[in-house]
Amino acid sequence: MSAEASSKQGRSAAEIIQQINVKNAKLLALILVIGFVIYHGMLHLRYGIDSCKWLLSDGRYKGDQEWQPYGCMMHHYSQTDTRRCLRYLAFWGKHNHFVFIGDSRIRQLYMAFLNHLDPRENTGTTIPPDRHHSDLSFGDSKLRLRVEFIWSPYVSKHMIDDFQNWKNENEPPSVIVAGSATWSIKNSNASVHALEEYSLNLTRLVQAIDTISAKRSRVLWTLQEPVNTEKLLPGRSMITNEQIDMYNKAAMEILQHSAAQLWSSSRLVAQGNLEESLDGLHLGPLALKHDTQILLNMYCNDHMNFNDGTCCSSAEPYTTLQVVTFSILGVSSVLSFVLVIRNWVQKWRGTAPVAYSPLNQMGKQPPESDFYTLITSLARMGIIMAYFFLCDRTNFFMKENKYFSQVSFWLPFGYVFALGLFFTEDSRFTKVLHRDQTDEWKGWMQLVILIYHMTGASGILPIYMHIRVLVSAYLFLSGYGHFCYFWQRGDAGLVRFFQNRGYTFASYWRSETCCLRRMIQVLFRLNFMTVTLCLCMNRPYQFYYFVPLVSFWFLMVYLVLALPPQVTAASSESNPLQYLYLVLKFVGLFSVITILYMSEVFFEKVFVTRPWKALFVTTDDDIHEWWFRWKLDRYSISYGMVFAVAYLLAQRYNFLDDNNHSNLFSPGIALSATLASIIGMGSYTTFSFLCRNKLECNEIHSYTVFVPIVSYIVLRNISGVLRTRYSSFFAWFGRISLELFISQYHIWLAADTHGVLVLVPGYPVLNVMITSFIFVCAAHEVHRLTFVLMPYAVPSDWKLVLRNALLFLVVLVPIGIHDGMF
């Protein structure tokens, strides 16, 4: 290769690398979203948007036991859930009438259904030999429930007459599950004449099925499950899978244009568990269990509204507030489009376009008169919120249940940390818990939490407890950062209070006007995305529990630091008595927390007081979720403050020196501290394996969580080499950790975190990669837009700040009145 060709190739590669940036990544994400909107739109145009069809037609096994319907989430109905559903429908006057008509396979479904309703009663599930070919029935007057089995092993005049009778009834059965074929195959020795008669009689059923379905009844024709030919008795050897496929094909050709719903997923369920069949013909217990769950999901989901059951469930109705919010964002999008077109036209004519500040300069404050930037930023936010809404408040995109396996959790865990270690570099800071290090810590913790949520690992107790440590570490860092700032700057005024965005140090303005502006700026930065989602997604503030949790605990820190006497580095150095005041403040903080914890009644009275009640209750006006979150990490902020005191005093009295790249302690002390830290982290891990249940673990967690956190800090900082290096990969994610934590609820996970979003059906690994890419790009863009919009929401003129605050109250008061805040 010539030198000139090599040089051209090098320049070409450099140009390609230069195009790999955040801006182009977001553009690619937008193109992908548009592509998937078109793709799923075409799927819905061709196959419809009814997820019941997906539930009854297709699916696959995840792992070795869990059944996953195609494109929707299946709730696991317990006996209590089932009876609650039937009782609810009975209350509204509906007759819960189920009919199973067919051969012995359909009788199996009937028995499995009754056994699910009440396994203790043995309600008709054990059939005497002399009644194997008889009709059976079961009833429960309290539930207005009637379940029947009609023995009809052939599609014959007997079955046709039954359907004709239901056709003439004013209130036919709610659900009819029919199916047969094996008896026709067996008794005709697989003759062609029997298949023709089967098809002819099916044709005679169509009119009755259409009439029954028009009366809001469901008619399910169960396609025949395959057989295990190795286990079949000699008298059934003619029942081959080829014959069964021929009968199924005939049923599909005749009934596909009728109102009957072809239940083909039951065939797939049985096909994946043929080895469980005892005689090669009848279904195994696992297949019957899944079939029963499919029936219940079809019948109950739209009435019970379980978050993890989207199959056969209608989309959540939108509210007036959502309409108004999206209307405002929609108007901004139209205006933005007009302004962009006008700029292009002016540029084409050679005239000066409207001046605006580049949107890619995050953190720089555009001119407050810059209407273009304001409108285009709101338009971008509107597009992102529309994507949020489309993903999690409609049935347009598919959703699937979470499934945990050791491989699905630990494999991405390993990939993420391998990438993090690959992108390590030197930091310009040397202090303990410096900016790069805390960003890195927040980044890898956030990625682990995302993996935990995606894989549904909350059922694994040791993993659950370690995730609780990560959430506590966020609050620990918050307490540490606030105390260090106050100690060094001596400012516990409103500036520092509203300057918080989550664990970062920032310069402050000393004038009162700047203080007020900075105060509202940080409130805006912390709550902008959360409040916008509350308006667009129709969810209460407490739904995004992390923001109210951080806000509340920061308020507690502020009160402790602001109450006189104020203790700072300067005041304590000149007056050692200040240390006593600091101890008393900590005692008071721990005492208040303990008092609130010891009396749940008192706790509820404090937090259900109007008007702030709406900030702490769920949609059902329940405060127990806030109580659980609050008590779980009630001491984490205080631990961070105490650690900050210990660290700052150690610096003052020269117990450690972190102003250089050397180790913190002498070799002997460093070795002892390292060993103690390893033991501390190992002890907590051992505790997480030994405690018996979540309730017991959570009660102990708040008292012991400081051990693994402090142990990690010591291990991470005691060596100068480790302390002054960090992972830029993790730090990048750490800077947008708040947006990642909140965004995951709707555009990565689904159904309020109970499932996962599916853009690429049938390819789970590819789907995770694509949804993750779009999710991260959207979170980063929201993070950037928050900084861009902040100068407009919080202008430099205090009069404009006051005006905007009043406008916000004017908007908030009607919403608060509607939600019962006043």
Side-chain angles (χ1 to χ4, degrees):
M1 182 183 295
S2 66
E4 183 179 354
S6 177
S7 176
K8 288 182 178 179
Q9 185 176 1
R11 287 196 301 270
S12 177
E15 291 173 357
I16 293 175
I17 292 174
Q18 287 178 355
Q19 297 303 314
I20 302 176
N21 52 44
V22 173
K23 181 180 178 181
N24 289 335
K26 292 175 184 177
L27 180 61
L28 176 59
L30 178 62
I31 294 172
L32 286 174
V33 169
I34 295 173
F36 283 117
V37 169
I38 296 173
Y39 170 68
H40 283 266
M42 294 175 63
L43 286 180
H44 293 318
L45 285 174
R46 181 173 180 180
Y47 301 108
I49 202 168
D50 184 8
S51 56
C52 270
K53 292 182 179 179
W54 306 345
L55 173 69
L56 297 173
S57 64
D58 201 358
R60 70 184 192 276
Y61 277 101
K62 298 175 77 172
D64 54 350
Q65 298 290 321
E66 298 295 327
W67 178 254
Q68 173 60 61
Y70 176 81
C72 64
M73 296 167 57
M74 191 167 74
H75 175 72
H76 178 77
Y77 277 86
S78 63
Q79 179 194 350
T80 302
D81 291 341
T82 305
R83 297 185 70 85
R84 184 183 297 129
C85 165
L86 298 175
R87 189 178 296 110
Y88 173 81
L89 293 172
F91 175 79
W92 290 106
K94 185 176 180 62
H95 291 275
N96 300 303
H97 187 185
F98 296 82
V99 173
F100 296 82
I101 179 170
D103 55 16
S104 56
R105 287 177 161 185
I106 300 298
R107 185 179 61 212
Q108 275 191 297
L109 289 177
Y110 163 81
M111 293 188 294
F113 189 81
L114 291 189
N115 189 58
H116 173 81
L117 286 175
D118 195 346
R120 298 169 301 176
E121 295 295 334
N122 201 23
T123 50
T125 58
T126 301
I127 303 174
D130 59 340
R131 298 196 62 195
H132 277 179
H133 297 167
S134 303
D135 296 345
L136 304 168
S137 65
F138 168 79
D140 188 330
S141 58
K142 294 181 179 179
L143 301 177
R144 302 186 73 181
L145 172 67
R146 185 182 176 192
V147 187
E148 296 181 272
F149 168 71
I150 298 176
W151 173 253
S152 183
Y154 305 98
V155 182
S156 60
K157 185 178 183 301
H158 177 235
M159 182 179 287
I160 295 172
D161 290 342
D162 285 326
F163 273 87
Q164 289 294 333
N165 292 334
W166 294 324
K167 168 189 170 182
N168 297 325
E169 292 180 1
N170 293 328
E171 191 172 352
S174 308
V175 178
I176 301 172
V177 182
S180 68
T182 56
W183 278 65
S184 296
I185 298 172
K186 174 184 175 183
N187 291 340
S188 68
N189 199 23
S191 71
V192 176
H193 174 72
L195 178 60
E196 293 174 349
E197 184 179 0
Y198 178 86
S199 300
L200 178 62
N201 288 334
L202 270 180
T203 305
R204 294 172 179 171
L205 286 176
V206 171
Q207 184 182 9
I209 289 174
D210 290 345
T211 304
I212 293 169
S213 299
K215 298 179 180 179
R216 303 184 68 179
S217 295
R218 289 184 179 271
V219 179
L220 273 61
W221 187 266
T222 308
L223 297 185
Q224 293 297 297
E225 296 87 355
V227 296
N228 189 338
T229 54
E230 297 178 357
K231 293 184 178 181
L232 287 176
L233 297 174
R236 296 171 176 170
S237 60
M238 70 291 296
I239 306 177
T240 63
N241 288 322
E242 290 77 12
Q243 284 290 319
I244 287 176
D245 289 341
M246 291 171 62
Y247 276 75
N248 284 337
K249 182 179 179 181
M252 288 187 289
E253 289 176 350
I254 295 168
L255 298 178
Q256 66 179 340
H257 300 298
S258 71
Q261 295 180 281
L262 292 170
W263 188 6
S264 56
S265 60
S266 63
R267 183 177 183 276
L268 299 176
V269 169
Q271 187 175 358
N273 281 278
L274 285 178
E275 68 281 356
E276 281 198 349
S277 175
L278 296 178
D279 59 2
L281 177 66
H282 294 97
L283 304 180
L286 182 61
L288 291 171
K289 171 189 171 184
H290 290 321
D291 286 345
T292 301
Q293 290 295 326
I294 290 173
L295 284 176
L296 291 172
N297 275 261
M298 179 201 70
Y299 188 69
C300 290
N301 275 3
D302 203 26
H303 305 287
M304 300 308 294
N305 295 322
F306 288 112
N307 288 325
D308 62 343
T310 62
C311 297
C312 300
S313 181
S314 303
E316 179 180 304
Y318 52 81
T319 64
T320 303
L321 185 59
Q322 288 176 288
V323 173
V324 172
T325 303
F326 278 108
S327 297
I328 295 173
L329 295 175
V331 170
S332 300
S333 299
V334 173
L335 290 176
S336 173
F337 179 76
V338 172
L339 291 175
V340 170
I341 295 298
R342 189 180 70 171
N343 272 4
W344 286 350
V345 171
Q346 290 178 343
K347 184 177 181 180
W348 177 67
R349 290 178 176 177
T351 58
V354 175
Y356 66 94
S357 300
L359 288 181
N360 59 354
Q361 295 180 4
M362 185 179 67
K364 293 189 177 182
Q365 299 177 2
E368 294 163 10
S369 61
D370 192 348
F371 184 71
Y372 181 92
T373 304
L374 173 63
I375 294 300
T376 52
S377 298
L378 288 175
R380 292 186 180 212
M381 195 68 185
I383 293 172
I384 295 173
M385 289 298 107
Y387 178 63
F388 273 71
F389 185 87
L390 195 64
C391 288
D392 209 28
R393 288 296 169 267
T394 69
N395 291 329
F396 187 81
F397 290 131
M398 300 176 182
K399 304 171 179 65
E400 288 188 356
N401 297 90
K402 297 178 183 179
Y403 170 73
F404 175 80
S405 69
Q406 296 293 341
V407 173
S408 67
F409 179 81
W410 292 110
L411 191 61
F413 187 90
Y415 283 154
V416 164
F417 274 86
L419 281 172
L421 293 175
F422 181 78
F423 289 97
T424 56
E425 56 187 68
D426 290 324
S427 172
R428 65 182 187 275
F429 305 110
T430 63
K431 295 287 187 179
V432 171
L433 292 178
H434 55 73
R435 172 65 180 273
D436 290 335
Q437 189 182 129
T438 54
D439 282 344
E440 175 201 83
W441 194 358
K442 288 186 293 179
W444 71 255
M445 286 194 301
Q446 183 58 57
L447 292 176
V448 171
I449 290 173
L450 291 176
I451 295 171
Y452 166 82
H453 285 156
M454 167 64 79
T455 57
S458 59
I460 309 302
L461 190 55
I463 297 178
Y464 168 83
M465 292 308 301
H466 283 82
I467 296 299
R468 297 274 64 80
V469 173
L470 301 187
V471 175
S472 299
Y474 275 93
L475 296 172
F476 181 96
L477 285 174
S478 181
Y480 170 85
H482 300 324
F483 186 89
C484 287
Y485 187 95
F486 168 71
W487 178 268
Q488 294 166 354
R489 301 295 181 91
D491 174 29
L494 290 177
V495 181
R496 179 56 186 159
F497 172 62
F498 290 98
Q499 213 171 16
N500 170 63
R501 189 212 180 267
Y503 335 124
T504 62
F505 295 127
S507 61
Y508 69 96
W509 298 329
R510 295 188 179 277
S511 68
E512 292 302 322
T513 302
C514 290
C515 291
L516 180 62
R517 182 170 181 267
R518 191 63 175 173
M519 168 183 71
I520 303 177
Q521 276 184 342
V522 175
L523 280 179
F524 178 83
R525 289 160 58 190
L526 181 63
N527 289 277
F528 173 66
M529 183 182 186
T530 304
V531 172
T532 305
L533 284 175
C534 289
L535 299 176
C536 292
M537 306 299 288
N538 189 31
R539 286 296 176 268
Y541 184 63
Q542 184 58 219
F543 178 77
Y544 308 95
Y545 73 90
F546 187 69
V547 173
L549 193 67
V550 172
S551 301
F552 170 80
W553 284 118
F554 179 74
L555 175 61
M556 296 294 289
V557 173
Y558 168 74
L559 291 175
V560 171
L561 300 181
L563 288 175
Q566 294 186 6
V567 184
T568 65
S571 64
S572 61
E573 190 170 8
S574 60
N575 182 13
L577 187 62
Q578 293 275 307
Y579 294 132
L580 176 59
Y581 299 148
L582 188 61
V583 171
L584 293 176
K585 286 189 174 189
F586 281 142
V587 171
L589 176 61
F590 277 95
S591 300
V592 170
I593 294 172
T594 304
I595 290 171
L596 284 172
Y597 169 70
M598 291 178 64
S599 176
E600 186 174 354
V601 175
F602 177 63
F603 179 90
E604 292 185 5
K605 287 183 178 180
V606 170
F607 288 101
V608 298
T609 303
R610 302 176 191 275
W612 56 75
K613 170 186 174 182
L615 301 177
F616 301 106
V617 297
T618 60
T619 307
D620 301 327
D621 206 34
D622 186 9
I623 200 172
H624 287 91
E625 178 68 17
W626 170 245
W627 163 249
F628 169 74
R629 300 290 181 184
W630 180 90
K631 71 175 182 177
L632 197 61
D633 291 305
R634 59 187 181 274
Y635 296 122
S636 298
I637 282 276
S638 305
Y639 292 148
M641 296 171 68
V642 172
F643 179 82
V645 173
Y647 164 69
L648 293 170
L649 291 181
Q651 272 190 324
R652 169 173 291 183
Y653 295 105
N654 298 321
F655 288 111
L656 60 85
D657 181 11
D658 56 359
N659 293 314
N660 50 56
H661 290 72
S662 62
N663 297 339
L664 292 180
F665 305 110
S666 63
I669 297 177
L671 181 61
S672 301
T674 301
L675 181 61
S677 299
I678 294 173
I679 294 174
M681 298 183 71
S683 299
Y684 190 88
T685 299
T686 304
F687 153 72
S688 69
F689 279 94
L690 293 181
C691 64
R692 293 171 292 183
N693 53 64
K694 285 186 179 180
L695 181 62
E696 177 183 302
C697 291
N698 288 336
E699 288 299 321
I700 303 174
H701 165 82
S702 59
Y703 301 107
T704 60
V705 69
F706 72 92
V707 175
I709 294 175
V710 174
S711 298
Y712 172 80
I713 294 173
V714 172
L715 289 176
R716 183 69 178 82
N717 289 274
I718 199 168
S719 168
V721 175
L722 291 178
R723 190 175 68 254
T724 56
R725 288 188 65 82
Y726 77 107
S727 169
S728 58
F729 176 79
F730 288 144
W732 188 88
F733 285 98
R735 296 183 192 103
I736 60 171
S737 58
L738 178 67
E739 288 76 17
L740 288 173
F741 194 94
I742 299 172
S743 297
Q744 66 170 321
Y745 284 74
H746 304 297
I747 60 171
W748 195 56
L749 304 176
D752 294 341
T753 74
H754 289 86
V756 296
L757 179 67
V758 177
L759 299 179
V760 189
Y763 299 90
V765 176
L766 180 61
N767 179 72
V768 169
M769 294 174 63
I770 292 178
T771 56
S772 299
F773 173 72
I774 297 173
F775 156 61
V776 172
C777 289
H780 188 276
E781 181 67 6
V782 172
H783 178 74
R784 189 188 62 80
L785 287 174
T786 303
F787 279 88
V788 172
L789 290 170
M790 185 171 58
Y792 298 97
V794 192
S796 57
D797 189 343
W798 68 269
K799 294 180 181 179
L800 297 179
V801 173
L802 182 61
R803 178 204 63 187
N804 290 351
L806 291 175
L807 288 175
F808 180 72
L809 289 177
V810 169
V811 174
L812 184 64
V813 168
I815 299 173
I817 293 174
H818 180 269
D819 292 340
M821 290 176 63
F822 301 101

